[in-house]
Amino acid sequence: GYRAKARRGLAQADKGRRSAVHALANCSVAVCAAAAMPLLGRPEWLVYALIGSLATALCDTLGTEVGQATTGRTWTLLPLRLAAPGTPGAVSLWGTLAGVAGAALVALAASACGVGRTSLVWIPVLAAAIASVVESVVKSRVGGNCSGHVHNLVNTVVGAALSAAIAALVG
């Protein structure tokens, strides 16, 4: 969808190519959680922090990419109003659905690989959805005044923390 996004003025710089900074912003929380597991004895809350951070990263990425590649209405959440596609923090139905589906895919894949319990697969999906809403609200407030990498890092921290907290409460 790069060409369609470029025609609409929504394409990322460098033809959408990702750099190491993109990877660090989206994956460093998961790497830290994985590295801490042997030291902490692999507690379940930490497993869900790892899954939640990856689910959140994919939720955000798919939400943005699909949301910008499709046509339809976009909205800011606070205040709730129509917004132009590409507005910082704006969300769309298709982007939101794609993001949640991506988070579910990550959680289901983790469960299928024996990482986390099948009965708790909903936790990282819920955490990713909430983290993405939080990020959208923050972005709509600060606009382009903050690096997208910072938003992605904070988003994955929030998703990981929520996932870990919910797992600790219900696990």
Side-chain angles (χ1 to χ4, degrees):
Y2 178 81
R3 287 187 180 128
K5 289 191 288 183
R7 280 192 301 273
R8 295 170 62 202
L10 303 173
Q12 287 184 327
D14 198 24
K15 296 186 178 181
R17 289 186 183 94
R18 302 292 196 241
S19 67
V21 175
H22 286 92
L24 284 172
N26 281 314
C27 299
S28 60
V29 175
V31 169
C32 289
M37 281 187 201
L39 304 172
L40 300 175
R42 199 176 185 262
E44 188 170 56
W45 64 266
L46 191 54
V47 170
Y48 280 90
L50 186 151
I51 300 167
S53 70
L54 293 175
T56 302
L58 187 57
C59 182
D60 177 53
T61 299
L62 286 177
T64 299
E65 296 300 327
V66 172
Q68 290 181 352
T70 58
T71 58
R73 293 184 175 159
T74 56
W75 302 82
T76 58
L77 299 176
L78 286 179
L80 183 62
R81 65 174 183 237
L82 281 171
T87 300
V91 298
S92 70
L93 174 64
W94 293 115
T96 301
L97 292 175
V100 170
L105 182 63
V106 169
L108 289 168
S111 177
C113 293
V115 180
R117 291 187 270 159
T118 304
S119 63
L120 300 181
V121 75
W122 60 272
I123 291 174
V125 178
L126 176 63
I130 293 170
S132 293
V133 167
V134 168
E135 183 191 30
S136 291
V137 169
V138 169
K139 274 186 178 179
S140 69
R141 292 299 195 194
V142 300
N145 298 330
C146 191
S147 163
H149 304 310
V150 172
H151 284 295
N152 288 342
L153 178 62
V154 171
N155 190 30
T156 57
V157 168
V158 171
L162 285 170
S163 191
I166 295 168
L169 287 172
V170 301

